[in-house]
Amino acid sequence: MADNVIEAEKLAARFGTRTIFQDVTFNVRRGEVFVILGGSGCGKSTLLKLLIGLIPPAEGQARVLGQALATLTGKTRNEALSHIGVMWQQGALLGSLNLMQNVALPMEQHTKLPPDAREALARARLGLVGLGDAASRLPAEISGGMLKRAGIARAMALDPDILFLDEPSAGLDPITSAGLDALILTLARETGTTFVVVTHELQSILAIGDRCIMLDKEAQGMIAEGNPRELRDHATHPKVRAFFRREVMEQAP
């Protein structure tokens, strides 16, 4: 049996009396690219925040590398978080720091490496994502696609076991998006890092996903799990079929 690095069991998220999703259960295996997909408002980014411990579940439990991150505090929490990396949708880079300084920042905060070692590692991470020549540039001086790549480099700063990417293709043109997909696949295969990717971009899902789950706003939970290409070809659930085949759903009278 594959080694599970994430185990989610009967998760529920609620804001006040409004249920976002409930009874969400799945595992993520070491080394795979796992996609969380679904339409707008279904809870994809909420699920990501729940997994990394930014918000606690209303019900159920999520264990990442064997630990429920939302329950940890102090040094124990910091140690656990050093094993994961997160790239947010807009990159979330600090505008006053150049790319090398942005990538080195987690090392400054979480390691005792000297400045020259931090700089060397930061440049190496930038090289992994194709930005080795852009280390001295500020975030405002690079394109949207380069911002996403720099965000991935910073998420990889501490050599994490798992990388969480929130809508990495959002706002990118098709060619840049395809390049980012290729980068994710290369990093996953060459480094052995597990990727958890939140997206609703169909082409990216089919290009990078080993397995996926699909959330649905009306169902308030999961409506599909499996290999995305198999779901495209064989799904029987009408919403899953419509999503993967880009079909218009018939409206109820």
Side-chain angles (χ1 to χ4, degrees), residues 34-228:
F34 186 88
V35 179
I36 300 170
L37 63 97
S40 299
C42 68
K44 300 186 300 294
S45 293
T46 298
L47 178 56
L48 182 148
K49 292 175 183 177
L50 192 153
L51 292 175
I52 65 177
L54 285 182
I55 58 175
E59 295 174 7
Q61 188 177 59
R63 292 179 294 274
V64 176
L65 300 170
Q67 297 182 292
L69 299 182
T71 68
L72 303 179
T73 58
K75 291 183 179 180
T76 303
R77 178 177 174 82
N78 287 336
E79 166 62 21
L81 291 177
S82 71
H83 294 282
I84 68 171
V86 183
M87 189 215 76
W88 298 107
Q89 184 174 149
Q90 302 302 326
L93 300 179
L94 297 179
S96 60
L97 302 181
N98 65 31
L99 299 191
M100 185 277 294
Q101 292 167 331
N102 265 286
V103 176
L105 188 60
M107 305 178 207
E108 181 180 345
Q109 295 176 327
H110 296 285
T111 76
K112 296 181 180 180
L113 292 171
D116 57 342
R118 295 198 301 264
E119 179 176 343
L121 284 171
R123 291 183 182 278
R125 297 289 187 267
L126 287 168
L128 280 176
V129 300
L131 294 178
D133 294 332
S136 62
R137 298 173 68 177
L138 294 171
E141 298 173 333
I142 61 176
S143 67
M146 294 172 72
L147 279 172
K148 299 295 182 76
R149 288 172 177 261
I152 292 175
R154 188 178 63 180
M156 296 179 65
L158 300 179
D159 194 21
D161 296 291
I162 307 173
L163 277 179
F164 294 86
L165 308 184
D166 185 26
E167 299 280 7
S169 299
L172 301 182
D173 64 82
I175 294 175
T176 303
S177 180
L180 192 62
D181 291 341
L183 172 65
I184 291 169
L185 284 177
T186 298
L187 292 174
R189 304 309 180 230
E190 293 185 355
T191 68
T193 304
T194 304
F195 278 77
V196 178
V197 182
V198 170
T199 185
H200 62 267
E201 300 287 344
L202 181 57
Q203 292 303 315
S204 291
I205 293 164
L206 296 173
I208 68 175
D210 293 314
R211 288 191 307 125
C212 68
I213 59 171
M214 182 172 179
L215 303 180
D216 180 70
K217 183 177 181 180
E218 284 71 32
Q220 297 181 334
M222 282 173 52
I223 59 172
E225 179 178 9
N227 179 285

